[in-house]
Amino acid sequence: MSSVELKSIVKKYGAVTAVASIDLSVESGEFVTLLGPSGCGKTTTLRMVAGFIRPTSGTLSIGDVDMTGVPPHQRTVGLVFQNYALFPHMTVRKNVEFGLKMQKVLTSERGPRVQEALELVQLESLGDRMPAELSGGQQQRVALARALVIRPDVLLLDEPFGALDKQLRDHMRVELRELQQKLKISTLFVTHDQDEALSMSDRIVVMSEGKVSQVGKPTEIYEKPQTRFVADFIGRSNILVGKLENKGKTINAEGLILPNKENMTNGDDGVSVMIRPECVKITKPDPKATSASADVKGKVTASIYLGSIVQYSVQIIDGPNLVVTQNNTGFEDLKNLTVGDDVDVSFPDSAIYILPG
Amino acid sequence: MSSQESYGSRLPYKFLVGLVTIVILFLEAPLIILVIQSFTAESYLAFPPPSYGIRWYKEVLTSEDWLNSISLSLIIAAVVTPLSLVLGTMAAFALDRGPKKLKHGLQTIMIAPMVLPHIVLGLGLFKMALQLDIDDSMLAYIPAHLTITIPFVIISVGASLQTFEVSLEEAARSLGASRFWAVWYITLPIIRPALIAGSIFSFIISFDEFIITFFLTTFQRTLPIEMFSTLMYQVKPSIAAVSTLTLAVTAFLTAMLILRGQVTSGDKVIK
Ligand SMILES: Nc1ncnc2c1ncn2[C@@H]1O[C@H](COP(=O)(O)OP(=O)(O)OP(=O)(O)O)[C@@H](O)[C@H]1O
Ligand SMILES: [Mg+2]
């Protein structure tokens, strides 16, 4: 049974197409993330699931019941906003109780359920506070408790951690994922933060300009992007324009000769090759050793210090410019690498990924 | 530089304080004199009164004419205030949530009666009331007062809706509240200060209204009209007593208006 299913959903505002035909499903107990750049239609999609926006065409079902034209209050969805949207004139307890009151749950039943929800987010001691007396993280937890207390068919979150600082965000990420797995609640999560998407999701839906670019597990999205857009958007990447040579045995990628390990062909001879910066290794030339897989030489043209990693720009001799990141381990003599240095460049064959299409 | 400026501004500052004091005295002096005069025990107005007493208050509160006009004004204001609040709030919601294109034009039309010359408005309403044969009755006074009180509600409620976070209503709706209940439980309590302000404005304006009502009355007299016609014949201390009573009601409501703001922002912290 799928909790949420969108079939050919379109949303147009006059001449503007916010969502151009989306198919999407969230299976029972699954954590699905909508990931994409600003303006790609994530919020619009989420708000259509919540019922605040009526799709121009297409059908939407929640818990296998058609909900396309059903108003928000008749859907059982738990919605968490980026700005928390806590009712400022009610205590934390009243905030959480509100949904139960609206759903006409008996007064005697409400108390224990509110308590249970507050315990879930570890706020049982703050029930009598007003929202204004809570920190950002605590407010976000109240919002979560308020959404969960009605036992929704699906939990919807629109960039819920956007207003939190980095440390708290990382913490809430873990907490939300643990909670979601404990309750086995179907979740649709919207973010433009790829770290968030990669670390929390069962599946990621990458969106671009109102369309789905790719759907897959985090590993598939990162390691096997199906389109150039996904490869570019998720993580850092070097994308090279290649040409099949040598009867398809090798690829000439902007001057860099690479093995065509899977004998990929693409109709004509043109292919796009992706190499992740962290898969490339650069070392200072060692005159004694002979380099193993690829004896590629280059020159450092820029270096950016990022703390745990250092990002280099390396101009390959007679080849492309590669972005390379190296862990700042302290072991290697990378610290001595400066702009203008000659380097040996190597990467395993497995780092070479040919983009389909 | 800046310290020099503040030294330099010392004199103008003192001058300003003096000026403000004079202006306040000038504005309030007639009122203060009137209040003092109202407590005279004589049968004529004099300042300062040779002797004091509450003779004229007794007179006013036992005179049938005064009591009739006071109660007529109170009844009108009491009917106008809730109607004005409900209609004005509904209009403010419509303007805030309705199509943006229409907002500007509609708002101007709805607020116009507030700024139009009341004498023109009164004349128009008089003609209309005559045609409908409702002049000199509640049926005329109440709609007439509403035309000038509703704009105040629209403005005060509209301003607070503008800063109201709509996602709060959406949160309520996602939790199972229909649009109506979301507004009822969430929006209205949050904009309560604006609702109170709108009501008090409506009450004061209706209670105090003279020009338009003057057109619509023949035999009936609201308090301002009774005061006016009494003045036409004689200047008795009873006028001062009535004025002081009116002033007290208005001042009380205005004080509520100012205090309510503090009370509402206060109980958020305390509770
Ligand atoms: N009410 C509206 N009228 C017209 N266009 C709209 C409306 N709402 C959204 N859009 C357009 O639809 C597109 C998708 O908007 P949406 O808010 O869904 O983006 P998003 O993916 O959530 O972006 P962000 O990451 O910035 O929140 C945008 O180009 C936006 O300008
Ligand atoms: Mg958005």
Side-chain angles (χ1 to χ4, degrees):
Chain A
M1 181 185 111
S2 62
S3 269
V4 177
E5 189 153 27
L6 279 68
K7 282 191 192 136
S8 339
I9 288 280
V10 177
K11 179 62 199 179
K12 288 186 179 150
Y13 292 104
V16 182
T17 303
V19 169
S21 192
I22 283 223
D23 291 283
L24 174 71
S25 71
V26 181
E27 304 301 322
S28 181
E30 196 184 22
F31 192 118
V32 174
T33 298
L34 291 180
L35 175 66
S38 186
C40 70
K42 307 180 295 288
T43 297
T44 308
T45 307
L46 196 81
R47 288 171 62 81
M48 286 194 282
V49 178
F52 293 114
I53 299 178
R54 213 193 171 100
T56 310
S57 64
T59 58
L60 184 151
S61 56
I62 299 176
D64 289 331
V65 180
D66 182 32
M67 287 278 173
T68 315
V70 176
H73 67 281
Q74 286 164 6
R75 307 180 178 197
T76 326
V77 298
L79 191 53
V80 177
F81 295 81
Q82 179 175 348
N83 65 359
Y84 324 127
L86 296 181
F87 307 135
H89 58 303
M90 297 182 186
T91 60
V92 166
R93 204 179 297 284
K94 292 273 176 209
N95 262 277
V96 177
E97 192 187 353
F98 185 81
L100 299 177
K101 190 171 153 189
M102 289 303 110
Q103 315 218 326
K104 304 203 168 63
V105 173
L106 291 178
T107 322
S108 57
E109 240 179 86
R110 286 185 214 160
R113 275 179 68 176
V114 169
Q115 192 60 24
E116 187 190 13
L118 287 177
E119 276 165 20
L120 218 49
V121 295
Q122 295 147 33
L123 282 181
E124 57 272 29
S125 59
L126 300 184
D128 297 321
R129 293 251 193 115
M130 298 304 281
E133 300 164 337
L134 300 177
S135 73
Q138 289 168 336
Q139 291 185 34
Q140 193 54 277
R141 289 208 196 99
V142 176
L144 205 54
R146 187 179 66 177
L148 288 172
V149 80
I150 59 170
R151 295 177 187 150
D153 295 332
V154 58
L155 183 62
L156 306 174
L157 307 102
D158 192 352
E159 311 210 19
F161 309 143
L164 305 176
D165 64 48
K166 168 109 176 71
Q167 228 171 350
L168 190 53
R169 200 183 321 190
D170 292 349
H171 178 76
M172 288 299 291
R173 208 191 270 177
V174 176
E175 213 173 278
L176 174 62
R177 179 59 166 161
E178 278 175 5
L179 194 60
Q180 184 268 336
Q181 286 182 321
K182 184 166 144 199
L183 300 176
K184 297 186 177 64
I185 183 167
S186 317
T187 302
L188 188 58
F189 183 90
V190 161
T191 183
H192 59 245
D193 182 321
Q194 42 177 294
D195 291 342
E196 239 166 61
L198 291 170
S199 64
M200 297 172 79
S201 321
D202 291 316
R203 269 191 312 149
I204 297 175
V205 177
V206 184
M207 289 181 64
S208 154
E209 294 174 358
K211 292 200 188 85
V212 174
S213 274
Q214 185 175 352
V215 183
K217 295 194 188 97
T219 50
E220 291 167 356
I221 296 286
Y222 189 78
E223 288 164 23
K224 302 212 170 347
Q226 296 299 300
T227 65
R228 177 161 183 153
F229 170 79
V230 177
D232 249 341
F233 185 70
I234 315 287
R236 282 175 272 249
S237 60
N238 294 292
I239 296 173
L240 308 174
V241 180
K243 227 174 149 51
L244 291 176
E245 282 181 350
N246 218 348
K247 290 178 187 142
K249 287 204 185 84
T250 58
I251 301 167
N252 182 342
E254 301 178 24
L256 198 60
I257 308 300
L258 306 169
N260 183 2
K261 43 173 179 151
E262 278 155 35
N263 287 318
M264 282 277 203
T265 53
N266 195 28
D268 56 20
D269 292 343
V271 289
S272 290
V273 182
M274 177 185 86
I275 302 172
R276 294 283 185 196
E278 67 273 17
C279 298
V280 182
K281 191 176 172 197
I282 52 174
T283 47
K284 285 205 164 174
D286 184 352
K288 285 175 233 161
T290 50
S291 53
S293 74
D295 58 341
V296 180
K297 293 190 182 303
K299 202 185 250 302
V300 176
T301 58
S303 103
I304 302 169
Y305 180 74
L306 296 169
S308 66
I309 59 169
V310 185
Q311 179 181 322
Y312 297 98
S313 233
V314 177
Q315 180 64 51
I316 306 295
I317 311 296
D318 298 324
N321 202 336
L322 288 185
V323 177
V324 178
T325 55
Q326 304 288 293
N327 281 331
N328 191 2
T329 55
F331 285 120
E332 295 157 57
D333 57 351
L334 278 175
K335 286 217 164 82
N336 302 329
L337 269 183
T338 47
V339 173
D341 283 356
D342 289 321
V343 284
D344 282 346
V345 181
S346 60
F347 41 83
D349 285 353
S350 60
I352 302 163
Y353 175 74
I354 299 166
L355 282 170
Chain B
M1 244 331 237
S2 69
S3 69
Q4 243 176 6
E5 256 170 29
S6 67
Y7 275 120
S9 64
R10 210 148 248 265
L11 205 112
Y13 178 74
K14 276 189 171 166
F15 173 74
L16 215 65
V17 170
L19 192 70
V20 168
T21 312
I22 290 169
V23 168
I24 290 177
L25 279 179
F26 181 76
L27 287 176
E28 305 299 332
L31 294 180
I32 295 165
I33 291 171
L34 191 78
V35 171
I36 295 171
Q37 281 182 329
S38 74
F39 289 101
T40 184
E42 309 297 325
S43 54
Y44 55 91
L45 278 173
F47 187 79
S51 58
Y52 292 91
I54 53 166
R55 171 181 167 187
W56 293 104
Y57 286 90
K58 276 186 192 155
E59 155 118 11
V60 164
L61 293 176
T62 49
S63 144
E64 204 171 313
D65 283 348
W66 283 120
L67 285 180
N68 278 345
S69 63
I70 289 173
S71 66
L72 180 62
S73 276
L74 283 176
I75 289 169
I76 295 174
V79 177
V80 164
T81 302
L83 282 177
S84 172
L85 179 66
V86 172
L87 294 172
T89 303
M90 279 163 44
F93 267 91
L95 289 172
D96 191 70
R97 307 286 163 83
K100 293 280 169 284
K101 275 185 229 157
L102 296 176
K103 178 173 176 174
H104 216 71
L106 277 178
Q107 192 167 24
T108 312
I109 293 171
M110 289 194 207
I111 288 172
M114 195 172 90
V115 290
L116 279 180
H118 284 189
I119 195 125
V120 177
L121 205 61
L123 195 62
L125 284 165
F126 173 55
K127 285 269 178 201
M128 214 160 89
L130 275 186
Q131 293 263 311
L132 297 172
D133 200 22
I134 53 167
D135 62 309
D136 209 30
S137 79
M138 285 284 177
L139 286 180
Y141 309 147
I142 287 163
H145 283 201
L146 284 174
T147 55
I148 51 168
T149 60
I150 285 175
F152 284 91
V153 178
I154 293 180
I155 287 177
S156 74
V157 174
S160 78
L161 281 181
Q162 221 157 38
T163 56
F164 177 77
E165 194 70 65
V166 183
S167 59
L168 293 179
E169 253 176 48
E170 291 178 347
R173 287 165 66 196
S174 77
L175 291 167
S178 65
R179 233 175 232 276
F180 176 82
W181 291 116
V183 168
W184 183 261
Y185 282 116
I186 307 301
T187 319
L188 293 183
I190 292 173
I191 63 166
R192 195 178 64 174
L195 301 177
I196 292 171
S199 312
I200 292 177
F201 273 128
S202 298
F203 189 93
I204 292 176
I205 289 162
S206 167
F207 192 68
D208 190 46
E209 212 301 311
F210 176 76
I211 303 175
I212 295 175
T213 320
F214 190 66
F215 276 100
L216 298 174
T217 53
T218 319
F219 300 110
Q220 289 203 345
R221 282 172 184 177
T222 62
L223 184 58
I225 290 173
E226 180 69 31
M227 287 167 79
F228 179 75
S229 36
T230 306
L231 269 176
M232 298 287 282
Y233 300 107
Q234 62 204 116
V235 182
K236 275 208 307 187
S238 55
I239 280 287
V242 170
S243 305
T244 304
L245 287 175
T246 318
L247 197 66
V249 171
T250 317
F252 171 74
L253 290 175
T254 312
M256 285 249 301
L257 193 62
I258 294 163
L259 287 178
R260 268 338 278 224
Q262 287 167 4
V263 172
T264 38
S265 56
D267 69 9
K268 264 178 213 160
V269 183
I270 300 159
K271 259 190 181 173

